[in-house]
Structures are given as structure tokens and as C-alpha cells.
Amino acid sequence: YLDSIVFQILRDVTVRTANLRAGTIDLAYMVAQKDLFMLERDRNLQVDKRITTEFYKAFMNKGREPLNNTALRQALSYAVDREAILKGVFLGQGEVAHGPLPSWHWAYDSQLAQEHGYSRDLDKARAKLKEAGYPNGLKLEGITPNEDPWRQLGEVVKAQLAEIGVELHAPLVDRAETRVFFRQGKGDFY
């Protein structure tokens, strides 16, 4: 019999991992990838790894210029190297998403993912940028949540977009501010 269950919101993944290792919490969902190998070696812990339906995404504000231009959104999508992000930010844990469903899900359609998913192709990205009317690139404004792994994701995506001449200014902000930003339709990129 169980007297109670206490749920704690520990937003900082480092704090979450430290509490888990210290035994002050019994379960943690989503730890930092960099801590995963250490946790797997800890004899007092059991790590359950599996690909979930959770995925990381970028939001482009297509309700205003310049991202109301389909070719521009396609250029940005071709510029992002999802494999490099999986390896570098997530240390190979997970899989590249080609939509909202993971490959193990019963409704996943691999043909649809291949036909409509984006893989990095800088030549296509530059061609789409030119088609969109920005052959010399452009500047976009956005925000990045000030939490791991979003901080790392933001830096990697900024660097990848810069390779096609797109300068993304996306300062780090509190998570609550990201929700307001998105709902109010401010800026270009989240």
C-alpha cells in the first residue's frame, strides 16, 4: 500500500539528476543525455531508455513576413542537419523525426516520411532561398528556451542556418516567455 506520491517539478536537468543520484527522488523523466551513461553505470539506479512520442521542433511564424513564404520555410528546413543534432546534442539517443510519430508507432508511414520529410541539402536550401527572393540571405528574429537541451539546439540550428546566409538572432529566455511569444505571434522563429 502506498500512502502518497509526491510529484516535484525540477526544470533543471542537472538538479534532477543530482536528486536522483542522492536518493531524494525515486524517479526522473528525461535526464540530460550527457548524464545518461553515468546513470547507467550507477548500481543503485535502473535506466529505462526508449524512443517516445516526444520530439523537439522549431516553430516558424508563417503568419507574417518573411516566413509566410513557403520557399523560405523549405530553405530553412533543408539547411538543418537533423543527424548532426541527434549525434551532437542527444549523443545518438533517439531517432531523427520525419513527423510527429516515431518509427515504432503503428500509424507511422515510412513512405510518407521519406517523400515529405527533410534531409540536409545545402544546395536545395540555397536554391529555395533564391526562389524565396533572398539570394544573399536574411536576418530572422526568434527566441530559445534557456534550458537544456534547447540551449544547445539553438546554437546548432543558428550555426547551420548561417551556412546558407541566414542570421538567426534568438536570445535565451525563460520557458514561460516562450509560450507568450508564440501565442502572440511575435518574431519569426521559436
Side-chain angles (χ1 to χ4, degrees), residues 7-174:
F7 288 91
Q8 295 181 47
I9 307 296
L10 302 173
R11 292 177 190 244
D12 187 311
V13 290
T14 305
V15 171
R16 196 177 307 144
T17 298
N19 276 270
L20 188 61
R21 293 193 74 209
T24 55
I25 62 173
D26 299 308
L27 177 75
Y29 176 71
M30 294 193 62
V31 297
Q33 299 301 318
K34 65 180 178 54
D35 296 333
L36 191 56
F37 303 111
M38 170 189 59
L39 295 172
E40 287 177 321
R41 290 191 303 271
D42 189 324
R43 292 183 189 158
N44 296 316
L45 299 174
Q46 180 179 348
V47 174
D48 182 10
K49 292 190 303 189
R50 54 183 88 184
I51 296 172
T52 68
T53 55
E54 184 164 334
F55 62 99
Y56 294 89
K57 59 234 165 252
F59 296 103
M60 294 183 246
N61 187 353
K62 70 178 198 167
R64 60 182 241 163
E65 289 187 11
L67 289 172
N68 60 347
N69 184 319
T70 301
L72 177 56
R73 294 193 309 272
Q74 290 171 329
L76 301 178
S77 295
Y78 281 122
V80 175
D81 188 342
R82 292 156 183 81
E83 289 291 337
I85 289 171
L86 178 64
K87 289 176 187 168
V89 176
F90 296 102
L91 306 177
Q93 302 294 316
E95 67 182 17
V96 172
H98 295 287
L101 300 174
S103 63
W104 59 260
H105 195 278
W106 66 269
Y108 179 80
D109 185 333
S110 61
Q111 182 179 350
L112 187 64
Q114 286 177 354
E115 290 174 6
H116 298 286
Y118 288 90
S119 295
R120 187 166 212 224
D121 187 326
L122 293 179
D123 291 334
K124 280 185 183 178
R126 288 183 185 103
K128 286 289 183 180
L129 202 57
K130 186 176 180 179
E131 178 186 327
Y134 299 97
N136 300 316
L138 74 157
K139 293 181 181 182
L140 296 174
E141 293 293 324
I143 56 171
T144 304
N146 191 16
E147 297 175 20
D148 290 328
W150 293 277
R151 281 187 288 254
Q152 295 92 338
L153 280 167
E155 290 303 315
V156 171
V157 169
K158 279 199 267 190
Q160 291 176 352
L161 294 180
E163 291 181 59
I164 63 165
V166 174
E167 182 183 327
L168 176 60
H169 177 72
L172 299 172
V173 298
D174 181 75

Side-chain angles (χ1 to χ4, degrees), residues 1-7 26:
Y1 294 98
L2 193 61
D3 292 329
S4 67
I5 297 175
V6 177
F7 288 91
D26 299 308

